[in-house]
């Protein structure tokens, strides 16, 4: 589904991605691990079109999307769920979800997608009329993921969904991602600091270090200690 | 007492028109962070166009207004695509857009001066005549103006809440990255917002033109009043702009009654300073930008 080859990207003069290659297949959950600041978020942003990739190729179902603007990438079925969430603070949960279904394709399937979202995140149905700026950390994370689902995406790019959450909530978020993948067959490229959770969810993992892929392994061949060693 | 009520009524009516102008300005700023220094002049241009159509060409008022609004749409698109869009891509975009809109204002002022001359004009009243109320006479045109303003405010509210474009505009104003992430075409929304702002402003200009005398230079006055209202109400806040506009309209009217017209500007500016001193983010301002 997603085929990335030799992607480069910089922030000003500093090169962050030095030729990254990875794949995400249909219906897979793939983990992207690695130390902070080495380019994991930048890679997701580059795929989403929110930050420019200066070179290389990003192909979605065989079509090149590297230079497409962010709104076109959403139309193609890729939803980026940023770590910062970027919810619309003065709008309610429902209004945020409704805007998640901004594209025409998403609007056509609005009712089904909303029903699915409420099934995965029942708490959001209760909170539907609450303004997002008054939500707790866990709830706003859920709204961010739900809003991405409302676009009818086939591929979610999820950036550290559990960071800063209490353990019980981390578990909820992970269960949600697992359900999304299993029930709807949606692929996920997951950036995570919590190696343990990432390995429990994903089938394959990449390690990104200093802007390049250090290794790729099926999760069955990895354990937390090994991965942590590779960080340093 | 009658004089007071008369003044109050007048202040509310003018305030409602300032509100329409301020809404356009504050929404434009909220969405695109461009402060349009040509805002007052855009209003004057629309008013002059209607004057020209009605008084010089003898066309019916609605026709003139429709034509003026069409010109507003074209002007908005030309301003955004021709200049603002390019300016926004640079690192000094704040300064660039500021200078450009200032230049646009000067251009508009002198174009009007060339085309129409310096003598005062006003747009013909929509409804002639007046009606007697217990405290004095109320011009029917005034009644029309406040009704039109309130209707416009309701329509704008509905547009922002219920239409996809309106919601997208609010989304861009509240979180630009969030808007990108849900697939909103930011460029198109900026364009739509410019059109919306220019049309609103144009309308306010036409309506104001039926009530006050205009010269090509009155754009500066309207722009400054618009700026004070928007800052007073909170940059980007539509309810804030409306409340501030009515308040300042009434202040202006009462100051004129009790102190004299010469105190209008000091009153505006003092109110502005005091309000920002007490509440820097404006009455209903909350977010930092």
């Amino acid at each position: 589904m997603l085929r990335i080859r030799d992607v480069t990207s910089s922030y000003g003069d500093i090169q962050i991605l030095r030729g990254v290659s990875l794949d995400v297949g249909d219906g897979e959950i793939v983990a992207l691990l690695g130390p902070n600041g080495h380019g994991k978020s930048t890679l997701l942003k580059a795929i989403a079109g929110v930050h420019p990739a200066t070179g290389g190729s990003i192909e979605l179902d065989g079509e090149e999307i590297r230079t497409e603007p962010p709104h076109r990438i959403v139309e193609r079925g890729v939803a980026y769920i940023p770590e910062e969430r970027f919810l619309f603070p003065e709008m309610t949960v429902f209004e945020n979800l409704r805007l998640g279904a901004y594209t025409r394709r998403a609007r056509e399937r609005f009712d089904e997608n909303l029903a699915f979202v409420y099934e995965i995140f029942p708490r959001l149905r209760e909170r539907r009329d609450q303004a997002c700026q008054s939500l707790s950390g866990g709830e706003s994370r859920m709204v961010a993921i739900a809003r991405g689902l409302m676009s009818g995406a086939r591929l979610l790019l999820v950036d550290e969904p559990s960071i800063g959450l209490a353990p019980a909530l981390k578990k909820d978020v992970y269960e949600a991602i697992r359900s999304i993948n299993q029930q709807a067959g949606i692929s996920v490229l997951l950036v995570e600091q919590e190696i343990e959770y990432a390995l429990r969810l994903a089938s394959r993992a990449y390690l990104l270090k200093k802007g390049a892929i250090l290794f790729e392994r099926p999760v069955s061949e990895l354990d937390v200690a090994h991965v942590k060693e590779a960080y340093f | 007492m009658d004089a007071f009520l008369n003044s109050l009524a007048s202040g509310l009516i003018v305030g409602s028109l300032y509100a329409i102008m301020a809404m356009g300005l504050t929404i434009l700023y909220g969405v695109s962070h461009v402060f349009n220094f040509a805002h007052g002049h855009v209003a004057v241009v629309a008013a002059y166009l209607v004057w020209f159509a009605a008084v010089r060409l003898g066309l019916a008022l609605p026709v003139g207004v429709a034509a003026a609004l069409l010109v507003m749409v074209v002007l908005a698109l030309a301003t955004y695509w021709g200049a603002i869009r390019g300016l926004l891509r640079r690192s000094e975009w704040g300064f660039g857009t500021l200078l450009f809109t200032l230049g646009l204002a000067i251009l508009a002022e002198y174009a009007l001066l060339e085309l129409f001359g310096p003598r005062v004009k006003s747009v013909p009243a929509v409804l002639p005549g007046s009606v007697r109320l217990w405290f004095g006479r109320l011009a029917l045109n005034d009644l029309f103006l406040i009704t039109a303003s309130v209707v416009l405010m309701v329509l704008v509210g509905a547009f922002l809440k219920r239409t996809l474009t309106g919601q997208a505009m609010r989304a861009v104003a509240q979180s630009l990255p969030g808007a990108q992430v849900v697939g909103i075409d930011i460029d198109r929304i900026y364009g739509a917002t410019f059109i919306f702002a220019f049309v609103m402003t144009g309308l306010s200009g036409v309506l104001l033109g039926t009530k006050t005398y205009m010269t090509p230079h009155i754009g500066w006055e309207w722009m400054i009043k618009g700026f004070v209202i928007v800052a007073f109400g909170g940059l980007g806040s539509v309810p804030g702009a409306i409340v501030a506009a009515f308040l300042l309209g009434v202040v202006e009217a009462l100051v004129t009654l009790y102190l004299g017209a010469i105190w209008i500007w000091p009153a505006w500016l003092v109110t502005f300073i005091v309000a920002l001193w007490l509440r820097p983010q404006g009455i209903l301002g909350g977010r930092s930008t």
Side-chain angles (χ1 to χ4, degrees):
Chain A
M1 175 187 250
L2 183 71
R3 191 172 174 273
I4 298 174
R5 293 287 178 269
D6 302 314
V7 160
T8 55
S9 183
S10 330
Y11 276 94
D13 292 332
I14 303 173
Q15 181 152 36
I16 300 288
L17 299 177
R18 300 166 188 280
V20 175
S21 303
L22 68 76
D23 292 282
V24 179
D26 287 314
E28 271 200 296
I29 301 183
V30 173
L32 184 59
L33 309 169
N36 269 338
H38 286 230
K40 304 193 299 296
S41 291
T42 308
L43 181 64
L44 291 193
K45 287 179 159 66
I47 301 169
V50 170
H51 183 79
T54 47
S57 130
I58 302 176
E59 276 180 20
L60 183 70
D61 295 330
E63 285 185 57
E64 182 62 55
I65 61 168
R66 179 174 64 90
T67 52
E68 299 250 288
H71 67 271
R72 288 281 304 135
I73 293 182
V74 173
E75 278 168 26
R76 285 174 183 276
V78 178
Y80 171 46
I81 321 277
E83 186 202 323
E84 305 93 329
R85 285 148 289 172
F86 295 131
L87 300 182
F88 306 119
E90 293 171 24
M91 296 192 195
T92 63
V93 167
F94 179 75
E95 287 174 316
N96 270 266
L97 295 181
R98 186 172 55 181
L99 274 166
Y102 185 76
T103 63
R104 173 169 303 147
R105 197 172 47 95
R107 275 179 276 144
E108 282 165 13
R109 312 200 51 178
F110 182 81
D111 292 324
E112 312 168 37
N113 290 339
L114 189 64
F116 180 57
V117 156
Y118 283 152
E119 197 193 314
I120 303 281
F121 300 110
R123 202 176 302 179
L124 294 187
R125 184 193 266 123
E126 292 164 32
R127 301 242 183 280
R128 65 190 295 271
D129 293 320
Q130 194 170 331
C132 283
Q133 57 199 355
S134 64
L135 292 176
S136 70
E139 286 161 350
S140 64
R141 279 289 153 71
M142 293 181 195
V143 175
I145 298 173
R147 191 177 64 174
L149 285 176
M150 290 303 295
S151 67
R154 297 172 298 125
L155 170 63
L156 294 183
L157 308 171
V158 190
D159 198 346
E160 305 219 31
S162 69
I163 197 171
L165 297 184
L169 278 170
K170 282 193 214 265
K171 198 161 161 298
D172 285 343
V173 169
Y174 277 105
E175 284 312 312
I177 295 177
R178 186 200 303 272
S179 303
I180 290 167
N181 173 253
Q182 285 179 349
Q183 285 182 44
I186 295 173
S187 313
V188 179
L189 178 56
L190 176 68
V191 164
E192 228 343 299
Q193 276 287 85
E194 291 272 342
I195 304 169
E196 199 185 316
Y197 279 109
L199 295 183
R200 261 195 264 160
L201 266 182
S203 54
R204 281 187 304 124
Y206 290 84
L207 190 96
L208 185 69
K209 193 169 172 188
K210 295 206 178 120
I213 299 289
L214 198 60
F215 63 71
E216 179 217 337
R217 295 269 188 284
V219 155
S220 51
E221 293 176 22
L222 292 172
D223 65 65
V224 179
H226 270 132
V227 175
K228 279 194 177 153
E229 267 176 46
Y231 273 35
F232 305 107
Chain B
M1 187 54 175
D2 284 351
F4 171 76
L5 287 175
N6 233 318
S7 201
L8 190 65
S10 186
L12 286 173
I13 291 163
V14 171
S16 72
L17 299 178
Y18 288 153
I20 307 297
M21 185 187 323
M23 275 203 290
L25 187 57
T26 211
I27 288 174
L28 187 62
Y29 181 82
V31 173
S32 68
H33 294 288
V34 172
F35 193 88
N36 184 14
F37 275 96
H39 211 71
H41 289 82
V42 167
V44 184
V45 165
Y48 265 79
L49 287 173
V50 173
W51 171 86
F52 182 70
V55 172
R56 279 270 183 271
L57 298 181
L59 299 173
L61 214 49
V63 174
V65 173
L69 293 184
L70 206 63
V71 171
M72 292 294 106
V73 172
V74 171
L75 205 61
L77 287 173
T79 304
Y80 177 64
W81 277 345
I84 301 286
R85 197 160 165 250
L87 289 169
L88 284 176
R89 294 210 183 115
R90 296 163 192 233
S91 55
E92 293 293 334
W93 58 270
F95 198 51
T97 55
L98 190 153
L99 280 184
F100 178 77
T101 56
L102 215 48
L104 202 62
I106 297 171
L107 183 65
E109 181 182 2
Y110 283 90
L112 289 176
L113 199 55
E114 263 305 302
L115 291 171
F116 300 112
R119 277 187 292 191
V120 284
K121 316 252 185 312
S122 60
V123 177
V126 175
L127 294 174
S130 60
V131 69
R132 174 168 280 138
L133 293 176
W134 79 95
F135 54 81
R137 302 199 76 90
L138 184 66
L140 283 177
N141 190 61
D142 281 353
L143 205 59
F144 170 77
L145 289 179
I146 194 152
T147 311
S149 306
V150 171
V151 166
L152 268 173
M153 285 180 216
V154 169
L155 286 176
V156 167
F159 169 76
L160 289 176
K161 266 232 142 198
R162 289 173 206 274
T163 65
L164 197 61
T165 306
Q167 288 162 18
M169 281 165 54
R170 282 164 58 218
V172 172
Q174 291 182 31
S175 172
L176 179 60
Q180 283 181 309
V181 149
V182 300
I184 292 174
D185 184 345
I186 309 293
D187 187 42
R188 272 192 53 205
I189 293 300
Y190 275 16
T193 308
F194 264 81
I195 292 175
F196 175 82
F198 276 46
V199 166
M200 291 297 293
T201 299
L203 268 172
S204 78
V206 171
L207 296 174
L208 272 166
T210 67
K211 194 157 168 59
T212 72
Y213 292 112
M214 310 182 295
T215 68
H217 310 293
I218 204 174
W220 298 114
E221 180 185 315
W222 288 356
M223 186 277 282
I224 293 176
K225 288 183 179 175
F227 175 62
V228 172
I229 290 169
V230 161
F232 192 98
L235 278 169
S237 163
V238 171
I242 295 175
V243 169
F246 276 112
L247 213 69
L248 285 161
V250 168
V251 165
E252 180 181 83
L254 294 179
V255 160
T256 310
L257 177 67
Y258 292 118
L259 297 175
I262 203 167
W263 288 100
I264 290 179
W265 277 113
W268 272 87
L269 298 172
V270 164
T271 315
F272 182 47
I273 292 171
V274 168
L276 286 186
W277 177 43
L278 292 176
R279 197 176 153 82
Q281 68 270 47
I283 308 174
L284 293 180
R287 287 170 285 118
S288 49
T289 41

